[in-house]
Amino acid sequence: MAGQDVYDVVVIGGGPVGENVADYAIRGSDRTAAIVEHELMGGECSYWACMPSKALLGPGNALDAARALSGARERLAASGPDPGAVLSWRDTVTGRVDSARVTHARGTQYGGTHDGVTHDDAGQVRWAEGAGIEVIRGHGRIVGERRVDVGGRVLTAREAVVVATGSTASIPPIPGLREALPWTSRDATNLVDIPDRMLVLGGGVVACEAATWLLDLGVRELVMAIRGDRLLPRMEPFAGECVADALRDRGADIRFGTTIESVDRPDAAATGYGRRHGGSASVRLGGDGAGEIVVDEILVAAGRAPATTDVGLDAIGVEPGGPLRVDDHMTVSGHPWLYAVGDVNGRNALTHMGKYQARVAGDVIAARAEERSLDDPRHTASSDHGAVGQVVFTRPEIASVGLTRAGAAKAGLDVRAVEGDIAVAGSYLVDPDHSGHACLVVDAARDVLVGATFVGAQTAELVHSATVAIVGEVSLSRLWHAVPSYPTVSEVWLRLLDQLR
């Protein structure tokens, strides 16, 4: 396969989304596919986002769970995780290696060094090759209909070109901020130097999870500057309140209604991901949390932008710089051969939803190649409109899916909602002081669940049952017969449904 310039499918972007769409488009057929990747196979999720962040959070979560139970807490000698061991575990999970040791061919053929950090993506490459997908290293740019240039080599796609380039961290236009070379999520997940004093800009998922592991690792002073009035603003208000309370209990200084007015860091230096980018920075804050603070590092967690500025979209008359708008087959309007999946289309910036879109797009490409009908529901992406599930791995943990009460009301639904503390036998056995909370949102006209939020230890495992109920439009009268096992945290379902009878 190597050296071919004509493929059935050419995918730009080798993250999990790109891998899935290529696989589904050719699986079980004689079609061919190539993935073009300019960094690492496995993408943002594997090396700079989902996997390292959960590796950093895991040890602290485990210690917290052990401290909750008599018989376990007495065996704990330390108050927090061992920072060196945590970072070593993160390195194992992400295939991060000491660049000085990467002297053999694998250091260049598989993986690479990015901003001072070296990862080995050999396993991802082997998976792709085993699935019949050729991996082509380089930056892919569209140069015409069904044509992608990679360093002077032009690839032609018989069926489809797929853009799966993900997103990049946004840095607000604040005087001195960009010049100060602040950390973004890539630095936070690949940290090597643990700052003593830290400023986190933002109150979303990345900011809250990062604040959790930074405190675990020993950051002494952590300030969060949030423009709005609560953390996690897209979720039910009680979710953000629970996380804020927990972070404050651990020493975080959370300032709502606060902006960064200016940053001064005269000796900023590009030292590589996760290292201090120079000396101390003086930051002037405005709004309700106004004042001047001095920190060792700044983490900007203020959103992400679709990575569409350097994909060659202008060559086909598509404006670069924003999300690639797609239909529910993941096809770009006016270009039936062009697909966009994952963060790049702006529909939902979650890895699992991007992989869902990729499966839909791959099936659509296969069906069109075989001249089959697209009437099957599997060819239409619908779940990322109203059944998006998500887990925030803070302490407490948050699991949610579908619409909030405010979102359901805005959608014009006849909203009926119930909520209550998670106080059941299963939660007591997890932690006698369990302080979880839950909410169900119902479309009263159809008598079906449209949203659910759970906060507390072990609630991540509750969200899929809620997702199934929402996607399947299971009536409450039928859902009542889904009996939760005893004694588990899932018993909260019975308590909530009881209120809806």
Side-chain angles (χ1 to χ4, degrees):
M1 184 183 296
Q4 291 185 18
D5 290 328
V6 179
Y7 303 84
D8 290 289
V9 182
V10 175
V11 180
I12 306 174
V17 176
E19 292 171 338
N20 270 265
V21 71
D23 180 31
Y24 274 68
I26 69 171
R27 185 185 295 182
S29 74
D30 60 359
R31 287 185 293 277
T32 58
I35 290 178
V36 181
E37 175 53 55
H38 74 288
E39 289 188 316
L40 295 166
M41 282 293 293
E44 199 80 15
C45 177
S46 297
Y47 309 100
W48 298 290
C50 316
M51 298 302 288
S53 67
K54 303 316 170 282
L56 291 167
L57 289 162
N61 291 345
L63 282 174
D64 223 42
R67 285 194 199 95
L69 291 177
S70 179
R73 75 169 69 93
E74 290 79 6
R75 293 294 187 181
L76 299 179
S79 59
D82 178 87
V86 173
L87 298 187
S88 179
W89 168 236
R90 182 271 320 274
D91 293 348
T92 298
V93 168
T94 62
R96 176 172 171 152
V97 294
D98 183 349
S99 59
R101 298 200 304 266
V102 184
T103 57
H104 51 72
R106 283 178 58 167
T108 53
Q109 182 181 359
Y110 306 115
T113 300
H114 302 280
D115 213 356
V117 178
T118 301
H119 293 95
D120 185 349
D121 65 353
Q124 303 275 12
V125 174
R126 285 195 295 269
W127 174 87
E129 292 173 344
I133 303 164
E134 182 176 349
V135 176
I136 300 174
R137 301 288 189 179
H139 196 109
R141 292 180 180 85
I142 298 169
V143 291
E145 184 171 326
R146 293 184 171 85
R147 293 189 300 136
V148 176
D149 177 86
V150 186
R153 178 184 175 187
V154 177
L155 313 178
T156 300
R158 297 186 188 95
E159 301 292 340
V161 172
V162 185
V163 180
T165 48
S167 60
T168 57
S170 300
I171 298 180
I174 295 169
L177 180 59
R178 187 175 293 276
E179 292 77 10
L181 303 180
W183 279 10
T184 64
S185 56
R186 282 195 172 192
D187 295 282
T189 57
N190 279 269
L191 83 166
V192 177
D193 302 331
I194 300 173
D196 193 43
R197 302 166 298 178
M198 191 88 193
L199 171 64
V200 177
L201 174 60
V205 175
V206 172
C208 291
E209 289 190 346
T212 301
W213 78 66
L214 288 167
L215 290 169
D216 282 346
L217 293 174
V219 170
R220 182 173 56 85
E221 297 178 10
L222 187 141
V223 177
M224 298 183 73
I226 297 103
R227 181 185 295 272
D229 60 359
R230 59 189 175 102
L231 298 180
L232 304 169
R234 296 183 180 180
M235 295 187 166
E236 294 287 358
F238 69 81
E241 291 168 5
C242 290
V243 172
D245 289 343
L247 289 172
R248 284 194 177 111
D249 286 345
R250 299 178 61 208
D253 178 1
I254 303 176
R255 304 188 188 186
F256 294 112
T258 300
T259 58
I260 295 179
E261 294 189 349
S262 65
V263 178
D264 181 30
R265 192 182 207 178
D267 59 350
T271 54
Y273 286 136
R275 300 188 182 277
R276 283 184 57 178
H277 295 170
S280 300
S282 296
V283 183
R284 187 153 54 91
L285 300 176
D288 296 342
E292 185 158 330
I293 61 173
V294 177
V295 295
D296 300 311
E297 198 52 76
I298 302 166
L299 168 60
V300 176
R304 300 182 66 84
T308 60
T309 56
D310 195 18
V311 189
L313 297 176
D314 51 336
I316 56 172
V318 176
E319 185 71 26
L324 272 169
R325 301 300 183 187
V326 295
D327 59 20
D328 284 347
H329 298 312
M330 300 291 108
T331 312
V332 177
S333 177
H335 302 275
W337 54 272
L338 183 63
Y339 297 74
V341 289
D343 290 12
V344 75
N345 64 32
R347 283 171 62 137
N348 198 280
L350 292 167
T351 296
H352 50 281
M353 295 309 295
K355 291 167 70 174
Y356 161 71
Q357 293 176 4
R359 294 191 294 271
V360 171
D363 279 344
V364 168
I365 292 168
R368 285 174 169 165
E370 297 166 9
E371 298 183 342
R372 291 186 280 110
S373 169
L374 298 182
D375 290 341
D376 192 309
R378 69 184 298 168
H379 296 132
T380 301
S382 57
S383 285
D384 56 359
H385 292 305
V388 179
Q390 181 176 17
V391 177
V392 184
F393 294 91
T394 46
R395 295 196 299 276
E397 200 166 66
I398 300 171
S400 66
V401 61
L403 300 173
T404 61
R405 281 171 290 195
K410 185 177 180 180
L413 302 183
D414 180 7
V415 179
R416 186 181 176 197
V418 295
E419 66 175 278
D421 291 337
I422 301 177
V424 294
S427 64
Y428 180 82
L429 290 172
V430 170
D431 180 355
D433 296 318
H434 194 285
S435 58
H437 199 75
C439 173
L440 299 183
V441 180
V442 173
D443 178 354
R446 293 185 296 140
D447 197 39
V448 296
L449 191 69
V450 292
T453 300
F454 306 95
V455 177
Q458 296 193 11
T459 54
E461 300 305 326
L462 299 179
V463 74
H464 191 62
S465 53
T467 302
V468 172
I470 292 171
V471 172
E473 298 185 330
V474 181
S475 69
L476 294 184
S477 59
R478 291 297 305 161
L479 198 56
W480 175 255
H481 296 283
V483 182
S485 300
Y486 179 91
T488 66
V489 181
S490 295
E491 290 174 79
V492 68
W493 275 101
L494 181 59
R495 300 289 176 262
L496 295 170
L497 291 171
D498 211 13
Q499 294 183 56
L500 291 166
R501 289 183 65 190

